[in-house]
Amino acid sequence: NISNCRELSLERIRTELDKLLVSQAAGKGLRLFMESGLVNAWCRIKEDGHYSYEPVLPEIAHLYKLPQNNKFHCYDAWEHTLHALDNGPRDLTIRWALLLHDVAKGLPGIRKPNKEGQPSDHGHEAVSAKIAFGILNRLHYPEAFVNRIVWLVAQHMRFAPFLIKKERT
């Protein structure tokens, strides 16, 4: 029951997400995270003696089964993300960047059909970087860590071939 997560601290959620992201089975774990609905869970934050609640990662929920242009991708956006994670270095900064690199795909204003009628997400890397900034700040990551990930997300269309071992993910 995802409502049980509401009493877990932000620090605990962040620690578990970090461990999951750098694990050997990151893709499998994140698949369960998505399919269980935990992406839409909330966690507790204590600031100045008062509790408030913040969402965990609802921004990635729409990637599940989101079609992509099959000329460039053989997976939907979520499966592509999972394959990228599983084939990327087990470095926390890079794994966060891989998780969030396509978070803007499919969003209104980004998703449009190209001239062949295939899905196109022109400019998604810039919007993904802005969303990544919001997520990582909400989860209270250090500024330098956030800035590195945001930069990687913003630049991923230039560097993705160097980070991913397999083609056409």
Side-chain angles (χ1 to χ4, degrees):
N1 184 341
I2 67 169
S3 63
N4 292 340
C5 294
R6 197 168 167 89
E7 295 309 313
L8 294 175
S9 71
L10 170 87
E11 293 80 11
R12 175 63 185 264
I13 295 294
R14 192 178 57 219
T15 298
E16 295 303 324
L17 283 171
D18 289 350
K19 288 194 298 190
L20 175 59
L21 282 170
V22 296
S23 74
Q24 190 170 1
K28 184 176 183 180
L30 284 162
R31 183 174 281 111
L32 289 171
F33 182 67
M34 176 71 78
E35 292 174 0
S36 68
L38 286 171
V39 295
N40 293 310
W42 290 66
C43 60
R44 185 175 69 183
I45 299 173
K46 186 175 184 179
E47 293 178 313
D48 301 323
H50 300 283
Y51 289 109
S52 62
Y53 296 89
E54 291 286 343
V56 176
L57 272 175
E59 296 89 346
I60 67 172
H62 76 281
L63 297 176
Y64 187 71
K65 296 189 179 183
L66 179 70
Q68 297 196 94
N69 185 332
N70 60 16
K71 181 177 178 182
F72 303 107
H73 297 284
C74 59
Y75 300 111
D76 66 47
W78 181 240
E79 289 299 317
H80 161 78
T81 298
L82 298 180
H83 284 273
L85 279 161
D86 283 341
N87 289 289
R90 289 173 63 187
D91 171 87
L92 186 60
T93 301
I94 293 174
R95 289 284 178 102
W96 266 109
L98 288 168
L99 176 63
L100 301 175
H101 79 282
D102 283 345
V103 72
K105 279 191 173 180
L107 294 179
I110 298 295
R111 173 61 54 103
K112 296 178 178 125
N114 64 14
K115 59 186 171 191
E116 292 89 30
Q118 291 289 322
S120 177
D121 296 287
H122 183 72
H124 76 278
E125 61 275 16
V127 177
S128 292
K130 289 177 185 173
I131 296 169
F133 181 82
I135 291 168
L136 296 166
N137 277 298
R138 181 179 71 230
L139 295 175
H140 294 200
Y141 280 99
E143 183 180 356
F145 183 75
V146 171
N147 290 340
R148 283 191 300 272
I149 294 166
V150 168
W151 186 86
L152 286 168
V153 170
Q155 302 300 319
H156 82 268
M157 294 300 287
R158 294 180 181 169
F159 297 111
F162 302 111
L163 296 174
I164 309 301
K165 294 178 188 173
K166 295 182 181 178
E167 294 182 16
R168 271 196 64 189
T169 58

